[in-house]
Amino acid sequence: MAGSRLPHAVCVELARQAIAEGSASYQRTAAIGRAETFARSLLGPVINATGVLLHTNLGRAPMAVTHPATAMNIEFDLRTGDRGSRQQVVGSLLAMLCGAESAMVVNNNAAAVLLVLAATARDRQVLVSRGESVEIGGGFRIPDVMEQSGAKLVDVGTTNRTRLSDYRKALSRKNADVAAILKVHPSNFRVEGFVEATTVAELATLAVPVIADIGSGLIDANCPWLAGPPPSWLHGEPAARQSLDDGAALVTFSGDKLLGGPQAGIIAGRSDLVALCMQHPLARALRPGAHVMAAVQRTALSYLDKTATTVIPFWAMVAATTDELRARADKIIAAAGIGAVEPTQAIPGAGSAPGSTIESVGIRIAGDRLAELRACTPPVIARTRDGCTLLDLRTIDPDSDEAVVAALQRCA
Ligand SMILES: *Cc1c(COP(=O)(O)O)cnc(C)c1O
């Protein structure tokens, strides 16, 4: 059990569990097995070879969230020496980035939606299209979040078609007390056929604020941080800047999806509404720590100085050409002495641009070798296709190529 490198106290506890459950003859083996399983389940780095760029089970956007163990001016105004706000500077960078009056950061987008509704619509009505009363996964369901916020959900339209006139009707009902319209991007599915939705621009012509939960966190549909035009797979994905330009009063989105930053939720838009969110008692419970704020700051700065494709690992993955990926695949195969190059289709993941694929390059090895690859250090997470195992180069950090060679050699 010493080999597991677990603290002694943990080994003793696992041994006790094994003794309590097992038969005397294999208690020792059972205890060692438990220790090994436990040691391998500790949080640690893995190699994402799945071809899913934002893999929810692998932590979505890879982004370093580190900070030396020093004090930080997180709530300290260096100019006056007075107490400051942790939202001030990071919020203003995010506001510049998406063309908003004001912005703030919370722990994730679920928290952002909850806080916005609680701060702007408690005990009042919020209109939601029946086609957008969705579940995003992992327990995020619009009616449930609405209930927790204290706002009253009013369904409008139908599952497949909701028109501006449906919202108008709800607004003009007797006893209507509508605080806002919530427009939710149905991130992880696509409805096709006889469908009709109302745009943010149309909704913004009505008398109440429009809150757009765009989910994915694409900052600007034009992707000015990329060398070329926006990639085609992003087509139709809502963006923060354009949603605000179209008249949304607030947008909310995740920090670790297309934004490519750490796990966080961003609220951006009208400064009076952002101020209500900042002043709400829940804001304290939902605020991120200094290391996350620093990582969001680094992410925002890299967009603003156009270094996003080198500083943000997600955009580096997107920007890699298939020629570069093929060259890396060739090199890995030559070094490992196993595998063949195969064209693949990567996907954005995390509910972003559902149904879209990104051209990519993989290494194919015969048979299902997923378990052996997972058993490597660091574990390599791949996928199978047509009875073969496929490692997609687009989601593998080039710095991990040597570890991939070592993992493949174990499979040879
Ligand atoms: C992903 C998503 C959420 C939840 O965001 P988290 O950051 O995971 O909390 C909420 N709404 C939409 C539309 C999403 O796509």
Side-chain angles (χ1 to χ4, degrees):
M1 286 181 75
S4 66
R5 296 227 190 110
L6 289 171
H8 180 70
V10 176
C11 292
V12 170
E13 176 55 30
L14 293 172
R16 272 207 194 102
Q17 289 175 7
I19 290 164
E21 277 174 27
S23 75
S25 59
Y26 56 76
Q27 275 160 4
R28 191 186 141 72
T29 342
I32 291 169
R34 251 168 218 266
E36 279 166 0
T37 306
F38 193 90
R40 285 203 66 78
S41 62
L42 289 174
L43 295 180
V46 303
I47 294 174
N48 176 8
T50 62
V52 182
L53 276 66
L54 303 168
H55 198 302
T56 297
N57 304 142
L58 304 180
R60 289 193 186 153
M63 167 57 70
V65 180
T66 52
H67 184 72
T70 67
M72 202 198 293
N73 58 332
I74 176 88
E75 291 193 347
F76 185 78
D77 187 326
L78 287 168
R79 203 173 35 92
T80 61
D82 294 333
R83 179 168 187 173
S85 151
R86 77 178 57 207
Q87 301 289 351
Q88 188 73 48
V89 77
V90 182
S92 64
L93 287 173
L94 289 164
M96 283 176 218
L97 200 55
C98 43
E101 286 173 12
S102 186
M104 70 180 289
V105 187
V106 289
N107 280 327
N108 49 44
N109 189 29
V113 176
L114 177 70
L115 180 58
V116 164
L117 292 173
T120 67
R122 183 167 193 87
D123 298 327
R124 297 187 62 200
Q125 297 171 334
V126 175
L127 309 184
V128 182
S129 161
R130 285 194 169 83
E132 296 174 5
S133 207
V134 297
E135 172 173 323
I136 300 296
F140 182 87
R141 309 180 94 192
I142 290 298
D144 296 346
V145 176
M146 192 74 76
E147 192 179 324
Q148 291 301 319
S149 75
K152 291 180 232 159
L153 171 69
V154 177
D155 293 309
V156 298
T158 64
T159 322
N160 55 331
R161 305 192 104 189
T162 303
R163 303 187 187 89
L164 191 59
S165 55
D166 294 318
Y167 290 93
R168 254 201 212 110
K169 206 156 68 191
L171 281 171
S172 60
R173 244 180 240 134
K174 218 170 58 182
N175 305 330
D177 177 28
V178 179
I181 293 169
L182 177 65
K183 178 149 181 75
V184 184
H185 179 51
S187 298
N188 44 8
F189 67 98
R190 192 163 268 175
V191 193
E192 278 171 20
F194 191 59
V195 292
E196 184 175 343
T198 315
T199 63
V200 168
E202 290 174 290
L203 293 174
T205 63
L206 301 174
V208 292
V210 178
I211 300 161
D213 173 15
I214 62 169
S216 58
L218 179 62
I219 283 295
D220 184 333
N222 299 320
C223 302
W225 55 91
L226 296 180
S232 58
W233 56 267
L234 268 178
H235 182 75
E237 196 63 16
R241 180 172 281 276
Q242 282 73 21
S243 300
L244 291 166
D245 283 351
D246 284 348
L250 288 176
V251 292
T252 71
F253 52 91
S254 298
D256 53 356
K257 294 183 182 172
L258 297 178
L259 186 72
Q263 182 193 304
I266 320 291
I267 301 168
R270 256 170 56 186
S271 52
D272 58 328
L273 299 179
V274 175
L276 284 179
C277 294
M278 286 192 196
Q279 289 151 15
H280 193 276
L282 268 177
R284 168 70 186 242
L286 303 178
R287 73 181 192 185
H291 55 306
V292 170
M293 294 303 281
V296 174
Q297 172 178 282
R298 183 154 28 85
T299 306
L301 285 171
S302 72
Y303 275 104
L304 290 164
D305 69 11
K306 299 205 167 30
T307 53
T309 53
T310 48
V311 175
I312 302 179
F314 169 74
W315 286 107
M317 282 182 206
V318 171
T321 65
T322 47
D323 285 346
E324 286 162 0
L325 300 180
R326 184 159 296 116
R328 284 173 52 205
D330 285 338
K331 224 167 135 186
I332 291 170
I333 290 168
I338 179 178
V341 175
E342 180 160 317
T344 60
Q345 298 293 325
I347 59 169
S352 304
S356 304
T357 56
I358 308 169
E359 226 186 301
S360 187
V361 174
I363 295 173
R364 173 171 42 83
I365 54 176
D368 177 348
R369 317 300 290 273
L370 295 185
E372 284 159 274
L373 290 169
R374 273 203 312 276
C376 292
T377 308
V380 177
I381 318 299
R383 65 184 150 129
T384 54
R385 189 167 83 188
D386 304 329
C388 290
T389 301
L390 212 53
L391 285 76
D392 197 306
L393 267 292
R394 192 172 288 282
T395 51
I396 300 173
D397 182 336
D399 288 346
S400 300
D401 284 0
E402 269 176 48
V404 171
V405 170
L408 285 176
Q409 278 167 343
R410 280 185 48 150
C411 295

